[in-house]
Each structure stands twice: as structure tokens, then as C-alpha cells.
Amino acid sequence: MPNALTELRFPEEDAPASSARLSPDTLALLAERRSVKLRMLSEPGPSQDELAALLKLAARVPDHGKLGPWRFAIIVGDARARLGAALARVISEDSGIDENRLEIEAKRFTYAPLCVMVVSTAAPHPKIPEWEQLHSAGAVCQNLLVAAHAMGFAGCWLTEWPAYDERARPILGLKDHERIVGFVSLGTATQPVTERKRPDLEPRISYF
Ligand SMILES: Cc1cc2nc3c(=O)[nH]c(=O)nc-3n(C[C@H](O)[C@H](O)[C@H](O)COP(=O)(O)O)c2cc1C
């Protein structure tokens, strides 16, 4: 979508921005968007230029204190198999892990053309609770999914055990205070998707 990219305008600080804008396309996208299972993601994925634009779009999130308490690590090309193999080695000695599971683990990042590891860098701050810093990183993941969708790519947001296993941390290059908010894989869906069950909103909405 070269036009969509060239027409993107990222306002400079203090330049006019947008506070409201009728966009039926955006509403329809939000109404219909679905994630796609990791194994149903394939080539093509975002080009370098598209990825650069996606990261800029993803990073345009509410962020209390303007701390930018998140960072991206891109898993692409040969690194996908390398990282998968390294993670598989982590659990190879665990009980109940057979060859089949190891093979699946090693392929984790090889289905989608690329994966964006979104890391929360939230840290203690005199004014901004870490809880809020973490929310900003969650918003980054969702912005990334929505922006990728609008660029014509499918995606999914997963965590799974590598996000929580201490042994995976050095392999993923995490500093002590950092946490993985999501592995957002992007590519093209190999099959059509259908809608999933959505939470019933009625009991979740109240008015004061
Ligand atoms: C923080 C977070 C972590 C998730 N981790 C997993 C996961 O590890 N495995 C999984 O099957 N789904 C996981 N999901 C759910 C998937 O993203 C799921 O496909 C998604 O909820 C589908 O919803 P959608 O089609 O409305 O995007 C996670 C979701 C979130 C928000």
C-alpha cells in the first residue's frame, strides 16, 4: 500500500494534530477486525518501510508523564528460527517435554514473516504509577495490531511461556525491570477468519 504510507503525516510537536475525525473506514475496521492464529500467518509481511511506519503509529499512545515506557525488539529473518531454537533449548530438560513439543517450540517464530516483541520498560517513578506505564505498553500492542490491519496485514498478540519464564529472559535480552507485554506477529492470513464469541457487554456497563 505505497499510497497509504506516503500519505501518512506525523505532526511535529506543537503542530496541528487531530482531535476528532469522521472515519467510517476506521469504525468498520474496529467493528470487524479479528486476530489470526499464529500458524495461519504467512508471507508477505510488512516491508522495512511499512514496519517503520507501523512502529511510529503503534507508539502514538496515551502515555502518562511522556515516559515512553516501552520498547520494540523485532524478530525477523534468520533470527526467527535462531530465537525459537534457543527458547526450545530452555525447556528441553523440563518434564513432559517430548521431541514433538520441542519442534513446535523451535518453529514458534517461523510462521509469521515478523514478530514485534513489545517490552514494558516500566520502572518506579515519583509521580507515574508503574500500573499506568504498563497500560501504555498494552495500548502500543493494540495500536500495532490495528495499524497493521489497516495496512493490509493480519496479526496476533501472544505472550505464552517465554514471556514469563525466567530462563527465557537473557535469551530475549530483557533487563531486570523489563516485562514482555506481547509478541505481536504480523503477516498475511492463509485462511479466512470467522468471528469469535465476544463478552456480553450488558453486565459490564453501568452508569453513575
Ligand atoms: C496480553 C495478551 C496475551 C495473550 N496471550 C495469548 C497466548 O499466550 N496464547 C493465546 O492463545 N492467546 C493469547 N492471547 C489472545 C489472543 O491475542 C487471541 O487470539 C485474541 O484474544 C483474539 O481476539 P481478537 O480476534 O478480538 O483480536 C493474548 C491476548 C492478550 C491481550
Side-chain angles (χ1 to χ4, degrees), residues 33-35 157-160 181 196 198:
R33 186 202 62 81
R34 280 276 356 245
S35 295
W157 172 0
L158 304 178
T159 44
E160 303 207 328
V181 182
R196 69 172 169 94
R198 298 282 161 183

Side-chain angles (χ1 to χ4, degrees), residues 106-180:
K107 284 192 190 155
R108 171 179 295 280
F109 296 113
T110 61
Y111 301 101
L114 73 83
C115 175
V116 179
M117 183 173 92
V118 179
V119 178
S120 163
T121 59
H125 185 279
K127 290 201 179 130
I128 318 294
E130 283 187 63
W131 169 246
E132 295 183 9
Q133 298 178 44
L134 197 55
H135 290 164
S136 183
V140 164
C141 291
Q142 182 64 10
N143 246 18
L144 181 55
L145 271 186
V146 171
H149 199 102
M151 212 181 265
F153 297 107
C156 70
W157 172 0
L158 304 178
T159 44
E160 303 207 328
W161 70 267
Y164 301 105
D165 193 309
E166 286 294 318
R167 300 169 296 176
R169 294 181 64 84
I171 294 168
L172 295 170
L174 295 176
K175 300 198 183 82
D176 284 349
H177 68 288
E178 292 184 331
R179 277 181 285 182
I180 293 192

Side-chain angles (χ1 to χ4, degrees), residues 10-22:
F10 292 94
E12 297 293 330
E13 189 176 354
D14 295 328
S18 176
S19 62
R21 170 178 181 155
L22 273 184

Side-chain angles (χ1 to χ4, degrees), residues 22-84:
L22 273 184
S23 176
D25 269 2
T26 306
L27 298 178
L29 183 158
L30 290 171
E32 295 174 23
R33 186 202 62 81
R34 280 276 356 245
S35 295
V36 170
K37 286 188 192 318
L38 188 57
R39 287 184 196 204
M40 285 164 51
L41 288 176
S42 188
E43 300 285 348
S47 65
Q48 282 280 5
D49 285 351
E50 287 168 330
L51 177 62
L54 284 174
L55 298 182
K56 276 181 95 167
L57 292 165
R60 293 181 54 79
V61 287
D63 165 14
H64 194 176
K66 304 187 194 78
L67 302 175
W70 21 258
R71 66 178 178 88
F72 304 108
I74 317 300
I75 306 164
V76 67
D78 295 346
R80 295 176 306 157
R82 232 179 21 247
L83 202 56

